[in-house]
Each structure stands twice: as structure tokens, then as C-alpha cells.
Amino acid sequence: MQAGKLKDRVTLYGARNGENEPSWPVVGTAWAGFQEPRSVGRAEPSGIRAVDSTFVRMRYRPDVEQGQLIQRGADWYIIESVEPGQSRSELAISARRIIGHAAQYRQKSEVVDVPVLAFLTRENIYVGPMNEPRYQIELFQPQLPYPWGRRGDQITTRGVTYVVDGVVEGSDDGVTLRVMGTV
């Protein structure tokens, strides 16, 4: 593997662990090369994960596994698969980029806004008891303050503030989380 093709310094994070205060432990740093998917014929995203996978190359490491995270600057990726590369000295990784919009998350009892990535997945899917529209917002968990998704928390994105009603059942996959909210 040619060193010149590995141009990006990345940080690798393990899969989520911990019950009371979840964390994504740092596995280490590495040099990597990224090949983003082509934009021709790309489908419209329906969630916080990119529609197409990004191809990532790095030197062989035994501690890289499916479900881990890669951080490259401000960009985050979820590892989908890890295979040996053309030579046994490299890894060929398929990963999905997190494509959320810049947002601010504020817990009900706090005065500090925390920057997070958010993606408005559905609008007006349910109507609440007072005929207010409900919204479903997908959030990137490693950036969220814990505990997350509590009633009364607020998410501000694209100039609109949403008040969280609760977590969408079954949406917590260890990396992302969907919440229901109202304006």
C-alpha cells in the first residue's frame, strides 16, 4: 500500500458500551484514504445515514470492526463492513457517512446548547391531542448529552425549535436515535 494514498488522519471509536452513561471509547488513530460515492443517480436521503457507502482504505489493524465509528475532521462514518484489502497489509472498509444538519440540543434542565447532527426524517406524521403536527428527528448519539430524548428537551435546526415528546420505540441502534417532537 502506498503511503501517499492515505491522506486523512482519522480517529476510530469502538461500538457503544455502558448502560447508565453510554460511551464510544477511542480505539486509536490511523491514516486513511477515502473514496466518496459518485453523485450521479443518487437517491434522496431518508435518514441521517448517507444513501451510498464510502470506500475507506487503511493499513491493517486487528481492532477495526463492523459497527465502529470513524471521525475525519467534522465528518463521521459508521463502519458497515471490514475486509482484507488487495494485500494482507491493508483493510478495505465500507462505511456510511452521517449527513445530518447542524443543530443544537438542549436538555430540559440545562441552559447550555450542545452542537449535534440532526435529520428531520418525517413531518406531520402524527397529530397530537391538541391537533398539533408531530415531527420525527433522527439524532447522532455520540454528540448527545446523556440522558437523551427526554420529554421537554429541545432541538433547534434550520431556525426551528422542536420540543421532544419522547423516543420512537425501537429506533435506538447504538449510533442513532429518533425522537418525536412538536414545534
Side-chain angles (χ1 to χ4, degrees), residues 58-104:
M58 69 176 61
R59 295 201 187 287
Y60 177 80
R61 302 175 56 113
D63 55 358
V64 177
E65 300 173 352
Q66 177 184 357
Q68 292 179 331
L69 302 173
I70 299 172
Q71 183 180 17
R72 175 177 72 158
D75 292 333
W76 288 85
Y77 299 81
I78 303 167
I79 297 176
E80 294 179 317
S81 68
V82 180
E83 302 291 334
Q86 293 175 346
S87 68
R88 289 286 187 198
S89 65
E90 68 180 10
L91 294 175
I93 299 168
S94 176
R96 294 275 173 148
R97 189 166 57 92
I98 299 296
I99 58 168
H101 305 287
Q104 299 293 319

Side-chain angles (χ1 to χ4, degrees), residues 148-165:
W148 52 62
R150 295 180 303 171
R151 182 179 290 273
D153 289 357
Q154 295 179 352
I155 302 161
T156 303
T157 183
R158 296 182 163 194
V160 179
T161 299
Y162 302 90
V163 178
V164 174
D165 288 333

